[in-house]
Amino acid sequence: MKLTRYTKFTGDLSSSFGLDDLMQALSDFLLDSGFQDPYAPFQNMDDSMESLREAIKQALESGEVLDEDAQEQFDSLEPDKVEELIDKIIQRMKDENFLNAEEPAAPGEGDQGDAETEARFEVTDKGMDFLGYKALRDLLGPLGRSSLGRHDTRYEAAGVETNGSSKQYEFGDSLNLDITATLNSVFAREGAPDGSGTLNLEYSDLHVQQADYQSSCATVVLLDCSHSMILYGEDRFTPAKRVAMALGHLIRTQYPGDTLSLVLFHDSAEEIPISQLPRVKVGPHYTNTREGLRVAQRILKRSAKDMKQIVMITDGKPSALTLDDGRIYKNAFGLDPIVIAETLEEVSRCKRAGIMINTFMLAQDFALVQFVQQVSAMCRGKAYFTTPQTLGNYLLMDFMSRRMKQVN
């Protein structure tokens, strides 16, 4: 038997580890939401190249990326050699399309003051997709084996994937002919065939195979990015971002007929591409739920999917309203009757449009619970009391369980 002998790797440290391990170690830095945790490894960092270099250095020093031998080699490097190593790692990340980086602009003639512009970086779609995959794996891993696929319903239709039953052919059905049932119908009517071997097949004899009708779904994630999402000593926004990325990866890979859109709501609301999610940080202080629902409805009206739903992630009651003249009416004290009435009217419009709203609450204050209970009662949606640690499990399992729901 031929033996394979492995020797100690003595090559360049920049290629001694996988970039997926480095991206995983940097995920908290890349998904920063503006929460200033004094115990977090990455503090006071932004999307500048200097911050990226410092984050990579911390990741290498943490021992999460390098193996034991490589870690010893790294720890023995001089400071200038460490900087060279980080340069090579950044170049490798750019070469493998995990991030884009801008070089600082050179000072031009006649420029005054500090003409050098600070270099910036951004996570690419590939890097974003990788972070979404990692988040999905981490969230679903503890739940055991899940059968992922398209959204099943209780309806049956003539199709390719059969479930064993058959029905008489009707105009418009796919002609997925059930030969056995068709012949049995002929023999039951005319008996055994004569010597000529011809069969008198009639329209009523045609039977087609039944298949489970699988619907497509348009989902809008309505993500609260008001300032309360990082207050009270807890970061709720970063876990919510991870869940949104995981849901995006799940839909892209397992439900290719579905669509996912992302709407942020705060004092106002706006749609952003999923690829921009890593750079999003919490915004102004108020919660304009009604405007978020309006933007989500406009997105879903453009969709021709069978199922339409809004997944709302929030930690606060509605406290703002966009007036007809564009001004923002704000009231953070209790349940403002004007704000609540207009927001529930928007929920009513969602119900009339056949849009289900499922709400995932990251807080349990009395005002929020009251509001969410009314929303759930009006649109036949569900309300979940979750924490940043359990949000992903609740949301993803709820999304996949809809595979067995009947399309209305």
Side-chain angles (χ1 to χ4, degrees):
M1 179 179 178
K2 184 178 178 180
L3 297 177
T4 301
R5 185 181 300 276
Y6 295 94
T7 58
K8 182 179 179 180
F9 175 73
T10 58
D12 189 356
L13 269 179
S14 65
S15 59
S16 63
F17 58 88
L19 286 184
D20 52 349
D21 294 329
L22 179 61
M23 290 289 289
Q24 180 73 5
L26 293 176
S27 61
D28 287 338
F29 166 68
L30 298 174
L31 300 176
D32 176 53
S33 299
F35 179 65
Q36 298 300 319
D37 183 357
Y39 303 103
F42 308 109
Q43 279 296 310
N44 301 318
M45 293 188 180
D46 52 22
D47 59 350
S48 67
M49 290 298 295
E50 280 305 312
S51 293
L52 175 62
R53 295 174 64 85
E54 180 61 28
I56 293 175
K57 182 179 179 181
Q58 290 187 29
L60 294 175
E61 291 173 346
S62 68
E64 298 178 7
V65 178
L66 302 172
D67 60 27
E68 185 175 346
D69 293 337
Q71 190 68 47
E72 290 180 3
Q73 188 177 346
F74 171 78
D75 293 339
S76 64
L77 291 178
E78 298 293 331
D80 58 333
K81 296 296 183 182
V82 172
E83 295 302 317
E84 291 180 12
L85 173 61
I86 293 176
D87 287 336
K88 292 181 180 179
I89 292 173
I90 292 176
Q91 186 59 50
R92 185 182 168 201
M93 294 175 75
K94 291 193 291 184
D95 292 342
E96 298 191 24
N97 197 30
F98 278 99
L99 60 83
N100 293 324
E102 302 174 357
E103 297 299 330
E109 293 185 9
D111 288 339
Q112 296 181 355
D114 185 10
E116 183 173 325
T117 304
E118 190 175 19
R120 300 283 172 177
F121 76 92
E122 64 177 7
V123 181
T124 62
D125 288 345
K126 176 183 176 180
M128 172 70 181
D129 193 54
F130 172 80
L131 292 174
Y133 161 73
K134 286 290 188 180
L136 181 64
R137 188 189 65 176
D138 293 342
L139 292 171
L140 291 185
L143 300 178
R145 184 175 299 175
S146 299
S147 178
L148 307 183
R150 291 160 292 180
H151 304 275
D152 292 334
T153 70
R154 294 191 180 95
Y155 288 128
E156 291 186 325
V160 177
E161 298 180 27
T162 64
N163 61 12
S165 61
S166 62
K167 63 183 272 298
Q168 276 195 323
Y169 173 78
E170 298 178 74
F171 180 77
D173 287 343
S174 299
L175 197 58
N176 187 25
L177 201 61
D178 185 340
I179 301 297
T180 302
T182 300
L183 292 178
N184 285 340
S185 177
V186 175
F187 296 154
R189 190 185 70 256
E190 297 197 349
D194 55 23
S196 64
T198 57
L199 293 175
N200 183 22
L201 186 65
E202 297 183 358
Y203 185 88
S204 60
D205 295 323
L206 295 176
H207 284 69
V208 291
Q209 291 276 10
Q210 288 284 85
D212 291 329
Y213 175 70
Q214 295 175 314
S215 68
S216 56
C217 181
T219 301
V220 173
V221 174
L222 201 55
L223 181 57
D224 185 350
C225 67
S226 61
H227 201 65
S228 63
M229 292 287 278
I230 59 169
L231 290 180
Y232 315 115
E234 184 177 44
D235 180 8
R236 302 181 179 100
F237 194 55
T238 301
K241 287 166 66 173
R242 292 183 190 275
V243 171
M245 290 192 307
L247 184 60
H249 186 86
L250 175 67
I251 287 176
R252 187 183 66 80
T253 57
Q254 302 295 334
Y255 302 93
D258 288 9
T259 61
L260 177 68
S261 303
L262 178 64
V263 173
L264 303 178
F265 66 105
H266 38 86
D267 283 6
S268 184
E270 66 277 339
E271 179 186 8
I272 69 164
I274 292 289
S275 60
Q276 300 296 317
L277 188 56
R279 289 183 288 279
V280 172
K281 297 188 178 183
V282 290
H285 293 76
Y286 294 87
T287 307
N288 195 338
T289 309
R290 178 215 193 190
E291 191 64 20
L293 292 171
R294 280 183 162 184
V295 176
Q297 285 182 84
R298 287 198 293 267
I299 296 171
L300 292 174
K301 282 181 180 178
R302 302 194 299 260
S303 172
K305 305 300 182 183
D306 296 327
M307 300 168 64
K308 298 179 181 181
Q309 66 172 346
I310 294 174
V311 174
M312 182 164 62
I313 304 173
T314 184
D315 74 336
K317 64 187 182 301
S319 57
L321 195 66
T322 302
L323 303 177
D324 294 337
D325 59 5
R327 292 179 299 152
I328 307 297
Y329 171 78
K330 305 171 183 177
N331 184 359
F333 300 99
L335 292 176
D336 186 293
I338 298 175
V339 175
I340 295 300
E342 292 294 334
T343 304
L344 291 179
E345 176 59 31
E346 211 61 47
V347 172
S348 180
R349 292 190 182 97
C350 290
K351 177 184 177 181
R352 291 194 295 270
I355 299 171
M356 180 180 290
I357 302 175
N358 287 336
T359 308
F360 296 83
M361 293 178 286
L362 294 172
Q364 299 187 26
D365 61 272
F366 180 72
L368 175 61
V369 172
Q370 270 192 311
F371 167 72
V372 171
Q373 286 176 340
Q374 294 182 67
V375 172
S376 301
M378 289 177 65
C379 65
R380 294 182 301 153
K382 296 179 182 178
Y384 296 90
F385 296 96
T386 67
T387 67
Q389 293 74 34
T390 61
L391 171 64
N393 295 343
Y394 276 101
L395 196 155
L396 293 173
M397 293 307 296
D398 175 79
F399 178 82
M400 290 185 294
S401 70
R402 213 168 309 284
R403 297 169 66 245
M404 297 306 296
K405 300 296 182 183
Q406 179 173 326
V407 178
N408 296 311

